[in-house]
Amino acid sequence: MDGVPFISQNPIPAGGSYDYDFPLVHSGTNWMHSHYGLQEQYLLAAPLVIWSPEELAIAEQQFVIELSDFSFTPAHKILENLKAGQMGDSSSSSMMNMNMGSTSAKPVELITQQWDSVNQRFFKTTIQGEIPEYDVSYDALLANRKTIDNPEILNVQGGKSVLLRIIAATSMTNVFIDTGKLETTVMAVDGNAVVAVKGNFFQLSNAQRIDLRVTIPKNGGAFPIIAQGEGTTLICGVVLATQGASIPKLPTSAPLKTASLNSLQDTYLKAKNPLAKRPVDRKFDIVLDGIMTGYRWTINGSSYPNRNSLNVKTGQRVAMRFQNKNKMGHPMHLHGHVFEVVEVGGVPISGPVRDTVFVPPLSDVVVEFDATNPGIWAMHCHLLYHATNGMFTVLKYEVANTKYWQPEQLEKEILTL
């Protein structure tokens, strides 16, 4: 079952209800949100963690950290500003450049992730580069609905293991996760286990999830876990604290902006349960692009709503090559399936299994999956205003029931935003 209106069901009417009944085919960290109009921007989202004995045994304590982006500007006004060629905030003077974002005129010092090949870990470093492009200037990032000046304090015990299930339930913001003094082990991404990798600085695109396991020092203390928005100094976070620990006053913004997310992390993460090796039966080239005039985003040159579809047969091994033709990254999400990242920038890899892959600016990424879940499924950029304005399509099985697929109804939905 799926909840995308005018694809897999009709919208739930005002005052109505709908019962979802589906098998739990795998455990892990997931989330759910409204797919109607711009409701996701109003924080209509929630974690959805599926437990199993194995998941419960990963750590002695477990916490969910849901990240959100917040604006005092109403969502319909943000969209109106974007279509008028302005940044998606309340500032009418802030104009987007020709590549639909905000960019720096010359290289500046930026924070990014690096790989330590000697110690086999991810860490934070600084580089000289261009500020990544983004559409919406938010007023705050939230961690479990709290701002950085009033973070949630998570009570932990010295010497105990803790699993942090971090969800980027943001509308338009990719983030970097900084665990500071705590050495961390990546256990899973997008609810799918990976071969354990250590570090203290991680990438998390919009809609992705990452499970991080830490061990609290025996002598205790307070340990901030910070998320920073891509291309901005906005931060949010939580504090892991043992009983009696002094809680530090956290800065309200980061000292430097970040670089763009990239494919470095997926290059060094490996699925614990990769796809079985077999030939590819169906290949798709999926070109991602956008047009500034009218703020229109496209897949293979077309903006949704349309009757285009990616057609597959049950049982096929399917490969999708995402080709990003603009200077903004796109987290591409496929409903109803998970896929393995098998190529980055033309280089074959044995990457993680995900349901959302970040396609960096001006880059290619290839994923593969098995078509074993018949239906008609949304496939789109998970940046809300990109999906709403065209970067959206469907994966359609030849045996799919398409009675709810009514793309022409989307125009009526948009008019009600």
Side-chain angles (χ1 to χ4, degrees), residues 144-186:
N144 291 345
R145 301 295 197 254
K146 289 179 172 286
T147 54
I148 193 65
D149 56 351
N150 181 33
E152 183 173 10
I153 309 301
L154 303 177
N155 297 316
V156 296
Q157 300 177 40
K160 299 291 187 179
S161 59
V162 176
L163 186 72
L164 304 175
R165 298 179 179 271
I166 306 177
I167 303 168
T170 51
S171 293
M172 290 291 287
T173 306
N174 304 312
V175 299
F176 288 89
I177 305 296
D178 188 346
T179 64
K181 296 179 181 179
L182 289 178
E183 182 73 351
T184 308
T185 302
V186 186

Side-chain angles (χ1 to χ4, degrees), residues 266-302:
D266 278 358
T267 300
Y268 290 100
L269 291 180
K270 296 185 181 300
K272 197 169 184 180
N273 301 297
L275 295 182
K277 299 295 184 183
R278 56 172 284 194
V280 171
D281 304 302
R282 189 80 168 91
K283 295 180 180 180
F284 295 104
D285 287 320
I286 300 172
V287 179
L288 312 174
D289 210 344
I291 300 171
M292 181 180 177
T293 303
Y295 192 72
R296 189 168 73 93
W297 293 96
T298 61
I299 289 180
N300 291 340
S302 298

Side-chain angles (χ1 to χ4, degrees), residues 109-117 120-127 175-184 198-203 224-229 232-233 235-236 251 253-259 262 264-265:
E109 191 173 18
L110 300 169
I111 300 167
T112 193
Q113 182 193 55
Q114 189 58 270
W115 173 252
D116 180 346
S117 58
Q120 298 288 290
R121 62 186 297 274
F122 296 109
F123 69 100
K124 178 170 67 175
T125 189
T126 58
I127 61 170
V175 299
F176 288 89
I177 305 296
D178 188 346
T179 64
K181 296 179 181 179
L182 289 178
E183 182 73 351
T184 308
K198 295 187 179 296
N200 66 351
F201 199 69
F202 305 98
Q203 301 186 41
I225 307 296
I226 302 297
Q228 181 174 348
T232 78
T233 59
I235 59 174
C236 65
S253 63
L256 296 173
K257 295 181 178 181
T258 77
N262 55 38
L264 175 75
Q265 189 166 279

Side-chain angles (χ1 to χ4, degrees), residues 279-286 300 310-312 316-321 343 366-369:
V280 171
D281 304 302
R282 189 80 168 91
K283 295 180 180 180
F284 295 104
D285 287 320
I286 300 172
N300 291 340
L310 306 171
N311 301 322
V312 298
Q316 288 183 324
R317 170 63 58 88
V318 182
M320 291 182 174
R321 178 180 298 276
E343 185 180 307
V366 180
V367 302
E368 291 183 7
F369 65 94

